[in-house]
Amino acid sequence: MAGKFSTKKDYESHVGGVDDKNQLSPDMEMQSVDIQRIEKVYRKLDRRIIPGKSRVWRIQSRFSSLLAFWVLYFLCSAIRSNVGLAQTMNIESGHDLGSELNLTPKQISTGLALFYVCYVIFDLPSNLIMTRLSPRVWMSRIVIGVGVIGSCLAAMKAAWSLYLLRLLLGIVIAGMWPGMAYYLTLFYPPSRTGKRIGQYFTAAQVSAAVVGLVSAGFQKMDGLGGLVGFQWMFLLYGLVGVIVGFSLLWWLPDRPLPPGEVPERKSWHKWVPQSKPALTGEDAQIHYEDLTRVYHRRRWEPKDLLAVFLDWRLYPLLLMYFGVVGVGIGVQNYATVIIRGTDKTLTGVQLSLLSAPIWIMDLIAILLVTPFSDRFHHHRALFFSVPVCIQIAGLLMTTYAGSASNPWPRYGGLLMVGFGLGPTVPITMTWTNEIFQPRHGEVGVAAASAVVSGLGNLGSILTTYALFTGWESDAKPGRKQYRKSTLVMVGILCLSILSAVAMTLLLRFVGNGPRAKQASSGSSTSDGEGVIVDGAARRELQERGFGRLWWRRR
């Protein structure tokens, strides 16, 4: 990071909310730190948890652990969304999802939406359980459950089985996305999580693109072994998910412990495989000193949870997420349906192939925008709002561009929507971490990220159940097909922008000072009265800007 505060007064004036009664003690004075050494430690964590963070991935002896975090999200995203592709797979031979199960478009929309109903209800309980148990074990449980239910989707025979399995899928996967955001805050300062959330979020984009491409191959397996193409897709993805879920017990590191402390192996822990710690030796000591807050956590109580719910900062973030995730899930589930609306002559294979570039554009935007949103983390709203404006422009292009003889400009609009979607979800989750960790500690991150992700997915229920094929009058063939649905999505995106602007203004005038008394990085918080100000917290008060980018390193 680029600079640091030289005096106690500078720090207090920047944090806000620290009064005379809660003055910083002398041991909190800013000290010189070896930034290069700290950066090296975080790069080691990157190679342990998230792929793609080094130039050549620096393959180590535990190469498979490098891929775990990314692979689990890839598979869960594929299993969650492949029902959308099944709507058009082998449609010309009558072996698509609707024809095989004798489903109406409204029944399919209902099945898609039921997943998000359970997701909304169980997201918060799942994330709170993760804070009490081992995050590694809980994440493994999620992936195994998703794999089992995903495989069972191959056995669907009627609408009731679609409804039941989508409900169960929503229950078992709940807590995965906010849980991953919470997990990162155990290893990184909040201001450094945006790029990293974006990098494992690319798994969803790669998944959407790859699943679209691979589904063309599954369609060639239609009839093999008495199964249609989409049944093979459900079955194989689910089986791979179960294998990966069990593997996570060895791959993912558990929450970090203070140097010299060993994990307890009693009760059910002794039956669970032990993974290697993320850091050891001097690296572990440096990380402890830089991110002391995660090592001195206290057991949260109901009153702590209530304080999170009563914090007004939660609700603009929720509305931001509501709009962008609603549009993202809507496009993900109905991309092939929207494309087919522009050209009825396209085959199921062609539709699958045309859906892939949307998510490639999404991936590019994530890799371009999220690193700079971390470096200029005081301007999250700007990095959020500009991509949302690109989404709005793309939706309007999809709605009004082109002609009957040349519908392809409408497809170009979908590519713009994909590009705009990319960084918005990671930035929202990162901003949530940044705001709630200093104010409410570990339970603040766990609860706020789950509420934003869970209730925010009410937008997904809207776009999957009420729009497109779920809106019968809007689904009628013709130039105006799906026009009202896309305009509704434009409306909720405008709500997201307004919420981001409101959050920025309120933080400027009200502030985001810590809710509790400040304590030094060396103090204990076991009494529940202090919030640790560690090395990372001091440095986060200033933006890194363009400092230490690869072209500026010597």
Side-chain angles (χ1 to χ4, degrees), residues 50-51 53 70 73 177 184 192-206 362-363 365-371 373-374 422-427 429-430:
I50 305 170
K53 285 291 296 163
W70 194 89
Y73 196 53
W177 171 243
L184 279 191
R192 288 174 173 264
T193 59
K195 177 172 65 174
R196 291 162 174 92
I197 289 175
Q199 282 171 336
Y200 70 69
F201 190 55
T202 61
Q205 282 60 51
V206 175
D362 197 314
L363 170 67
I366 291 172
L367 298 178
L368 286 176
V369 177
T370 54
S373 76
D374 273 0
T424 53
V425 169
I427 287 174
M429 296 302 291
T430 303

Side-chain angles (χ1 to χ4, degrees), residues 338 341-342 344 395 398-404 410 468-469 471-488:
I338 297 170
T342 66
K344 299 293 186 183
L395 286 170
T398 301
T399 305
Y400 294 106
S403 61
R410 298 176 67 183
F468 298 105
T469 57
W471 192 343
E472 293 181 4
S473 63
D474 195 40
K476 293 179 180 178
R479 280 284 299 156
K480 294 184 178 181
Q481 188 179 32
Y482 306 134
R483 177 171 293 185
K484 294 177 183 176
S485 296
T486 53
L487 291 178
V488 169

